[in-house]
Amino acid sequence: MVPSHDLAARFEAYSDWRRRLALRVSGLHDWLQQQDLADAQVDLKVQQLLERLHEDKLIVAFVAEFSRGKSELINAIFFADFGQRLLPSAAGRTTMCPTELLYDGSRPPSIRLLPIETRGKDATVAEFKNYADEWITFPLDLSNAEKMGEVLSRVSQVKRVPVDVARKYGLFGTGEDNILAALDHGEGGGVDIPCWRHAIINFPHPLLQQGLVILDTPGLNAIGTEPELTLNLLPNAHAVLFILSADAGVTKTDLEVWDQHLAGVDPATKAGRLVILNKIDGLWDDLKSEAEINAEIARQMRMSAQMLGIPASQVFAASAQKALLAKVNGDDALLARSRLPMLEASLSQQLIPAKRDIVGAASQAEVRALAAGVRTILAAREAGIAEQMAELTALRGKNQDVVEHMMERVREEKELFERGLARYTALRNVFTQQTNDLFDHIGLEALRSNASRTRRRIEDSPFTKGVRGAMNDFFAAIRGDFEHAARQSSEIHDMMQAMYARFAKEHGLETFVPPLFSMLKYQKEVERLERAYNVHFNTLWNMVSKAKFALMRRFFETIASRVKHVYVIANRDVEAWLRAVMSPLETQVKEHHLQLRRRLDSIKRIHVASGELEERIVELEQQEGALRRQIRGLGLQVSGIDAIIDAPDALPLAANA
Ligand SMILES: Nc1nc2c(ncn2[C@@H]2O[C@H](COP(=O)(O)OP(=O)(O)OP(=O)(O)O)[C@@H](O)[C@H]2O)c(=O)[nH]1
Ligand SMILES: [Mg+2]
């Protein structure tokens, strides 16, 4: 299976680039270890960076009303090399639950299914992902295409249940009588509901192996009732493809799906939102000229852009079905006519370079920070050697008295510094107190109690006003906590800055300006969630009546779990920042102390045997040379990494065309 088309080629080039970058970063780490310059902090940072490069994911989601051809389009874009239809695609409602396609090498090829009954519990799909026993797993036999198709068709499974049960799971509300009517089997026979709430297909396709994640979503029947999709899965996707069908145009329900899932999306993240007018083969008419057909397709594309309120450049036409057929049969003329290659080219051009830039800039910043830390140590060592050298050179031809006097001076300096260490210890205590206070506000414990307070209030007063009030207070408390944390972190910053200045002035340590910490990113993310909540609250509220309570709870749980995610990241970042602010001082203090001891030692030795002086000077010169080589070596390592990050894509020619 050699992916031959543009998107696959670009994606492969991107993965290759990540691999080369990771190799270079490992190279830097090896070098630091050889040079005895890697401490636990460096090891940890490198390991985290490598993990991130390795696990980097690119998520592409497909959203539409049912039967627009989402699953077929996925088959055509990503899985044609497989020579068959991988995902079930058929008339009527086919995909019944959100389906992720990915590859996790630590598991065998399989499909994992989360039973619909889990909707009766509070936890979100993201949380259920941590509990393997909640899922039902079926292995995939890669050598048997037919059997595999059968297993994958489980995403279409439905079962008949009484209407009440469907409502209990929050699947249908009174506003959705039209859907109920369509699914109702009459005579008290109940309705068909999806068997599964979520599916994860673990499949070793080359693109998935490289970190691509595809999200196929079901049409109208389940959409809108799983808040997770709108609040979590879709905002996290790097690209969302919205599919229309040329035989239906933009219908009322298309607009509903669009409004609910794509219209409210942050303009900042709107990049990577494409609209596809599918099934254009329906317009192919042997009695019309190619020009007439193209004019009709162009007209429909313009209209769709207008109705959805997006630039025409973001609308594409395609025939997923013909594209799949063309790829399987190697029919280039049909493939061109299906227009899929144009869509793929645009998707990869919008998606992959942007992703590469983000990953490149983040990696570069981390490597630079790492190198800066090492450079500080090397610079301190260099300064120490220079000082010793000056001291010893001054001793040339001097008598014992002078040496003694010199020794006394260094000894005094050392004692003074050791007294200064008491201040350092006191500072550490204040630092710990302030850090604790910071985590009291933005730690997970704070969030947990805020969430359970809100949960109780929603239960006590499950009416619009009560729920709204509880939710508003929930967000207000979070805002307050982040504001407090922002003030606290800036206090820590100022205190540390003063301390660095003082150590620099009194003991000649390297001046270091600790970086500032900004909470803005997390505050913005929480604001985004609050906006999403405001947008969806009314829709949800009006849509459901009997199932309102179950749905509201799940809605809240989804939001709470997104907020928790923000907290987890904020906590991780704050911890890294605190280390970055404190550890240079620790290192400097340790190094400086060591220097003083070394200086004292070498003068002591010279005091005992004056012949040692010249030998000691030569030794220092050698050390200085070695240090300079290390500094140069570090520079070379870093520029090797920069070269990979800044290099243009090494794409095969065909893919560049
Ligand atoms: N003529 C034509 N039919 C298509 C095309 N793409 C998909 N179809 C057909 O449309 C029907 C629905 O396709 P699916 O891929 O199942 O659509 P979906 O959007 O995944 O639908 P749900 O899973 O139900 O939400 C199937 O019968 C496909 O064969 C196309 O480009 N041209
Ligand atoms: Mg489908």
mmCIF file of all heavy atoms in Angstrom, residues 196-224:
data_model
loop_
_atom_site.group_PDB
_atom_site.id
_atom_site.type_symbol
_atom_site.label_atom_id
_atom_site.label_comp_id
_atom_site.label_asym_id
_atom_site.label_seq_id
_atom_site.Cartn_x
_atom_site.Cartn_y
_atom_site.Cartn_z
ATOM 1 N N TRP A 196 -24.509 1.633 19.673
ATOM 2 C CA TRP A 196 -23.246 2.121 20.239
ATOM 3 C C TRP A 196 -23.225 3.630 20.340
ATOM 4 O O TRP A 196 -23.834 4.327 19.537
ATOM 5 C CB TRP A 196 -22.061 1.647 19.373
ATOM 6 C CG TRP A 196 -22.176 0.206 18.997
ATOM 7 C CD1 TRP A 196 -22.486 -0.300 17.772
ATOM 8 C CD2 TRP A 196 -22.018 -0.920 19.871
ATOM 9 N NE1 TRP A 196 -22.523 -1.667 17.812
ATOM 10 C CE2 TRP A 196 -22.233 -2.086 19.094
ATOM 11 C CE3 TRP A 196 -21.709 -1.081 21.225
ATOM 12 C CZ2 TRP A 196 -22.156 -3.368 19.613
ATOM 13 C CZ3 TRP A 196 -21.625 -2.357 21.752
ATOM 14 C CH2 TRP A 196 -21.854 -3.484 20.947
ATOM 15 N N ARG A 197 -22.498 4.086 21.321
ATOM 16 C CA ARG A 197 -22.383 5.522 21.530
ATOM 17 C C ARG A 197 -21.164 6.083 20.798
ATOM 18 O O ARG A 197 -21.148 7.248 20.383
ATOM 19 C CB ARG A 197 -22.240 5.761 23.039
ATOM 20 C CG ARG A 197 -22.147 7.207 23.440
ATOM 21 C CD ARG A 197 -22.119 7.281 24.963
ATOM 22 N NE ARG A 197 -21.958 8.646 25.432
ATOM 23 C CZ ARG A 197 -21.774 8.969 26.701
ATOM 24 N NH1 ARG A 197 -21.733 8.012 27.621
ATOM 25 N NH2 ARG A 197 -21.635 10.224 27.059
ATOM 26 N N HIS A 198 -20.152 5.250 20.655
ATOM 27 C CA HIS A 198 -18.916 5.715 20.034
ATOM 28 C C HIS A 198 -18.141 4.489 19.544
ATOM 29 O O HIS A 198 -18.224 3.435 20.148
ATOM 30 C CB HIS A 198 -18.077 6.469 21.083
ATOM 31 C CG HIS A 198 -16.995 7.311 20.493
ATOM 32 N ND1 HIS A 198 -17.187 8.626 20.147
ATOM 33 C CD2 HIS A 198 -15.707 7.031 20.170
ATOM 34 C CE1 HIS A 198 -16.060 9.117 19.645
ATOM 35 N NE2 HIS A 198 -15.149 8.170 19.644
ATOM 36 N N ALA A 199 -17.415 4.650 18.427
ATOM 37 C CA ALA A 199 -16.615 3.533 17.923
ATOM 38 C C ALA A 199 -15.190 4.003 17.656
ATOM 39 O O ALA A 199 -14.976 5.144 17.229
ATOM 40 C CB ALA A 199 -17.233 2.987 16.634
ATOM 41 N N ILE A 200 -14.237 3.140 17.944
ATOM 42 C CA ILE A 200 -12.840 3.447 17.625
ATOM 43 C C ILE A 200 -12.285 2.290 16.809
ATOM 44 O O ILE A 200 -12.231 1.150 17.281
ATOM 45 C CB ILE A 200 -11.991 3.631 18.904
ATOM 46 C CG1 ILE A 200 -12.565 4.770 19.746
ATOM 47 C CG2 ILE A 200 -10.537 3.920 18.539
ATOM 48 C CD1 ILE A 200 -11.863 4.964 21.073
ATOM 49 N N ILE A 201 -11.942 2.602 15.571
ATOM 50 C CA ILE A 201 -11.386 1.565 14.711
ATOM 51 C C ILE A 201 -9.873 1.680 14.740
ATOM 52 O O ILE A 201 -9.312 2.728 14.406
ATOM 53 C CB ILE A 201 -11.913 1.713 13.267
ATOM 54 C CG1 ILE A 201 -13.440 1.562 13.246
ATOM 55 C CG2 ILE A 201 -11.251 0.690 12.350
ATOM 56 C CD1 ILE A 201 -14.078 1.805 11.892
ATOM 57 N N ASN A 202 -9.236 0.628 15.190
ATOM 58 C CA ASN A 202 -7.774 0.616 15.266
ATOM 59 C C ASN A 202 -7.257 -0.158 14.059
ATOM 60 O O ASN A 202 -7.409 -1.373 13.983
ATOM 61 C CB ASN A 202 -7.343 -0.060 16.574
ATOM 62 C CG ASN A 202 -5.895 0.221 16.898
ATOM 63 O OD1 ASN A 202 -5.410 1.341 16.682
ATOM 64 N ND2 ASN A 202 -5.193 -0.773 17.396
ATOM 65 N N PHE A 203 -6.700 0.586 13.110
ATOM 66 C CA PHE A 203 -6.410 -0.032 11.826
ATOM 67 C C PHE A 203 -5.028 0.413 11.342
ATOM 68 O O PHE A 203 -4.752 1.619 11.273
ATOM 69 C CB PHE A 203 -7.490 0.424 10.832
ATOM 70 C CG PHE A 203 -7.389 -0.229 9.492
ATOM 71 C CD1 PHE A 203 -7.806 -1.529 9.317
ATOM 72 C CD2 PHE A 203 -6.861 0.468 8.415
ATOM 73 C CE1 PHE A 203 -7.705 -2.129 8.074
ATOM 74 C CE2 PHE A 203 -6.755 -0.132 7.175
ATOM 75 C CZ PHE A 203 -7.180 -1.437 7.005
ATOM 76 N N PRO A 204 -4.149 -0.534 11.008
ATOM 77 C CA PRO A 204 -2.768 -0.158 10.672
ATOM 78 C C PRO A 204 -2.604 0.364 9.246
ATOM 79 O O PRO A 204 -1.740 -0.101 8.505
ATOM 80 C CB PRO A 204 -1.997 -1.470 10.878
ATOM 81 C CG PRO A 204 -2.990 -2.528 10.601
ATOM 82 C CD PRO A 204 -4.338 -1.986 11.032
ATOM 83 N N HIS A 205 -3.395 1.312 8.857
ATOM 84 C CA HIS A 205 -3.207 1.947 7.553
ATOM 85 C C HIS A 205 -1.993 2.874 7.664
ATOM 86 O O HIS A 205 -1.791 3.505 8.705
ATOM 87 C CB HIS A 205 -4.459 2.748 7.219
ATOM 88 C CG HIS A 205 -4.407 3.410 5.874
ATOM 89 N ND1 HIS A 205 -3.715 4.568 5.664
ATOM 90 C CD2 HIS A 205 -4.932 3.067 4.679
ATOM 91 C CE1 HIS A 205 -3.829 4.911 4.388
ATOM 92 N NE2 HIS A 205 -4.566 4.009 3.772
ATOM 93 N N PRO A 206 -1.184 2.974 6.589
ATOM 94 C CA PRO A 206 0.042 3.787 6.698
ATOM 95 C C PRO A 206 -0.213 5.207 7.207
ATOM 96 O O PRO A 206 0.558 5.725 8.020
ATOM 97 C CB PRO A 206 0.587 3.827 5.268
ATOM 98 C CG PRO A 206 -0.059 2.700 4.556
ATOM 99 C CD PRO A 206 -1.299 2.306 5.294
ATOM 100 N N LEU A 207 -1.282 5.850 6.758
ATOM 101 C CA LEU A 207 -1.532 7.226 7.201
ATOM 102 C C LEU A 207 -1.924 7.283 8.678
ATOM 103 O O LEU A 207 -1.523 8.177 9.403
ATOM 104 C CB LEU A 207 -2.634 7.869 6.360
ATOM 105 C CG LEU A 207 -2.267 8.154 4.911
ATOM 106 C CD1 LEU A 207 -3.455 8.715 4.160
ATOM 107 C CD2 LEU A 207 -1.103 9.120 4.847
ATOM 108 N N LEU A 208 -2.713 6.311 9.105
ATOM 109 C CA LEU A 208 -3.119 6.287 10.507
ATOM 110 C C LEU A 208 -1.911 5.978 11.380
ATOM 111 O O LEU A 208 -1.753 6.523 12.475
ATOM 112 C CB LEU A 208 -4.222 5.255 10.742
ATOM 113 C CG LEU A 208 -5.493 5.407 9.901
ATOM 114 C CD1 LEU A 208 -6.523 4.371 10.323
ATOM 115 C CD2 LEU A 208 -6.089 6.804 10.028
ATOM 116 N N GLN A 209 -1.026 5.132 10.864
ATOM 117 C CA GLN A 209 0.183 4.799 11.619
ATOM 118 C C GLN A 209 1.028 6.047 11.853
ATOM 119 O O GLN A 209 1.758 6.150 12.817
ATOM 120 C CB GLN A 209 1.021 3.753 10.867
ATOM 121 C CG GLN A 209 0.497 2.340 11.080
ATOM 122 C CD GLN A 209 1.154 1.336 10.159
ATOM 123 O OE1 GLN A 209 1.519 1.641 9.036
ATOM 124 N NE2 GLN A 209 1.308 0.121 10.640
ATOM 125 N N GLN A 210 0.920 6.992 10.911
ATOM 126 C CA GLN A 210 1.722 8.204 11.047
ATOM 127 C C GLN A 210 1.028 9.290 11.859
ATOM 128 O O GLN A 210 1.522 10.406 11.955
ATOM 129 C CB GLN A 210 2.064 8.742 9.665
ATOM 130 C CG GLN A 210 3.091 7.876 8.966
ATOM 131 C CD GLN A 210 3.104 8.096 7.486
ATOM 132 O OE1 GLN A 210 2.717 9.160 7.009
ATOM 133 N NE2 GLN A 210 3.529 7.096 6.750
ATOM 134 N N GLY A 211 -0.120 8.981 12.421
ATOM 135 C CA GLY A 211 -0.734 9.952 13.333
ATOM 136 C C GLY A 211 -1.982 10.633 12.796
ATOM 137 O O GLY A 211 -2.504 11.546 13.421
ATOM 138 N N LEU A 212 -2.460 10.202 11.627
ATOM 139 C CA LEU A 212 -3.709 10.769 11.138
ATOM 140 C C LEU A 212 -4.871 10.148 11.924
ATOM 141 O O LEU A 212 -4.867 8.952 12.182
ATOM 142 C CB LEU A 212 -3.867 10.463 9.647
ATOM 143 C CG LEU A 212 -5.154 10.974 9.004
ATOM 144 C CD1 LEU A 212 -5.131 12.490 8.902
ATOM 145 C CD2 LEU A 212 -5.345 10.372 7.615
ATOM 146 N N VAL A 213 -5.822 10.987 12.326
ATOM 147 C CA VAL A 213 -7.032 10.477 12.968
ATOM 148 C C VAL A 213 -8.217 10.993 12.160
ATOM 149 O O VAL A 213 -8.311 12.186 11.877
ATOM 150 C CB VAL A 213 -7.155 10.970 14.422
ATOM 151 C CG1 VAL A 213 -8.467 10.518 15.032
ATOM 152 C CG2 VAL A 213 -5.992 10.468 15.254
ATOM 153 N N ILE A 214 -9.092 10.084 11.754
ATOM 154 C CA ILE A 214 -10.258 10.492 10.983
ATOM 155 C C ILE A 214 -11.485 10.306 11.847
ATOM 156 O O ILE A 214 -11.620 9.297 12.536
ATOM 157 C CB ILE A 214 -10.373 9.635 9.714
ATOM 158 C CG1 ILE A 214 -9.154 9.881 8.835
ATOM 159 C CG2 ILE A 214 -11.644 9.965 8.954
ATOM 160 C CD1 ILE A 214 -9.003 8.854 7.758
ATOM 161 N N LEU A 215 -12.341 11.309 11.808
ATOM 162 C CA LEU A 215 -13.570 11.218 12.593
ATOM 163 C C LEU A 215 -14.758 11.227 11.654
ATOM 164 O O LEU A 215 -15.007 12.207 10.964
ATOM 165 C CB LEU A 215 -13.630 12.403 13.568
ATOM 166 C CG LEU A 215 -14.882 12.498 14.427
ATOM 167 C CD1 LEU A 215 -14.978 11.307 15.369
ATOM 168 C CD2 LEU A 215 -14.877 13.793 15.231
ATOM 169 N N ASP A 216 -15.454 10.092 11.607
ATOM 170 C CA ASP A 216 -16.677 10.001 10.808
ATOM 171 C C ASP A 216 -17.830 10.200 11.783
ATOM 172 O O ASP A 216 -17.810 9.673 12.893
ATOM 173 C CB ASP A 216 -16.753 8.607 10.154
ATOM 174 C CG ASP A 216 -17.857 8.531 9.107
ATOM 175 O OD1 ASP A 216 -18.451 9.579 8.782
ATOM 176 O OD2 ASP A 216 -18.124 7.411 8.616
ATOM 177 N N THR A 217 -18.804 11.001 11.377
ATOM 178 C CA THR A 217 -19.905 11.240 12.302
ATOM 179 C C THR A 217 -21.203 10.755 11.683
ATOM 180 O O THR A 217 -21.318 10.656 10.466
ATOM 181 C CB THR A 217 -20.047 12.736 12.631
ATOM 182 O OG1 THR A 217 -20.310 13.433 11.412
ATOM 183 C CG2 THR A 217 -18.798 13.280 13.270
ATOM 184 N N PRO A 218 -22.189 10.430 12.523
ATOM 185 C CA PRO A 218 -23.466 9.997 11.982
ATOM 186 C C PRO A 218 -24.282 11.212 11.556
ATOM 187 O O PRO A 218 -24.019 12.323 11.994
ATOM 188 C CB PRO A 218 -24.116 9.294 13.165
ATOM 189 C CG PRO A 218 -23.477 9.845 14.375
ATOM 190 C CD PRO A 218 -22.162 10.449 13.984
ATOM 191 N N GLY A 219 -25.240 10.982 10.714
ATOM 192 C CA GLY A 219 -26.130 12.066 10.308
ATOM 193 C C GLY A 219 -27.049 12.475 11.440
ATOM 194 O O GLY A 219 -26.801 12.160 12.609
ATOM 195 N N LEU A 220 -28.093 13.142 11.086
ATOM 196 C CA LEU A 220 -28.962 13.823 12.042
ATOM 197 C C LEU A 220 -29.394 13.022 13.270
ATOM 198 O O LEU A 220 -29.461 13.570 14.355
ATOM 199 C CB LEU A 220 -30.214 14.304 11.300
ATOM 200 C CG LEU A 220 -31.154 15.185 12.089
ATOM 201 C CD1 LEU A 220 -30.485 16.517 12.370
ATOM 202 C CD2 LEU A 220 -32.444 15.386 11.317
ATOM 203 N N ASN A 221 -29.656 11.724 13.111
ATOM 204 C CA ASN A 221 -30.355 11.033 14.197
ATOM 205 C C ASN A 221 -29.659 11.070 15.547
ATOM 206 O O ASN A 221 -30.291 11.187 16.570
ATOM 207 C CB ASN A 221 -30.674 9.585 13.819
ATOM 208 C CG ASN A 221 -29.415 8.808 13.535
ATOM 209 O OD1 ASN A 221 -28.331 9.371 13.507
ATOM 210 N ND2 ASN A 221 -29.557 7.523 13.330
ATOM 211 N N ALA A 222 -28.341 11.009 15.551
ATOM 212 C CA ALA A 222 -27.670 11.007 16.847
ATOM 213 C C ALA A 222 -26.977 12.329 17.103
ATOM 214 O O ALA A 222 -26.666 12.680 18.222
ATOM 215 C CB ALA A 222 -26.662 9.880 16.913
ATOM 216 N N ILE A 223 -26.763 13.047 16.033
ATOM 217 C CA ILE A 223 -26.051 14.311 16.145
ATOM 218 C C ILE A 223 -26.884 15.279 16.964
ATOM 219 O O ILE A 223 -28.105 15.216 16.971
ATOM 220 C CB ILE A 223 -25.797 14.845 14.723
ATOM 221 C CG1 ILE A 223 -24.399 15.424 14.637
ATOM 222 C CG2 ILE A 223 -26.838 15.835 14.292
ATOM 223 C CD1 ILE A 223 -23.962 15.637 13.215
ATOM 224 N N GLY A 224 -26.223 16.160 17.703
ATOM 225 C CA GLY A 224 -26.988 17.151 18.457
ATOM 226 C C GLY A 224 -27.337 16.655 19.835
ATOM 227 O O GLY A 224 -27.559 17.431 20.746
#
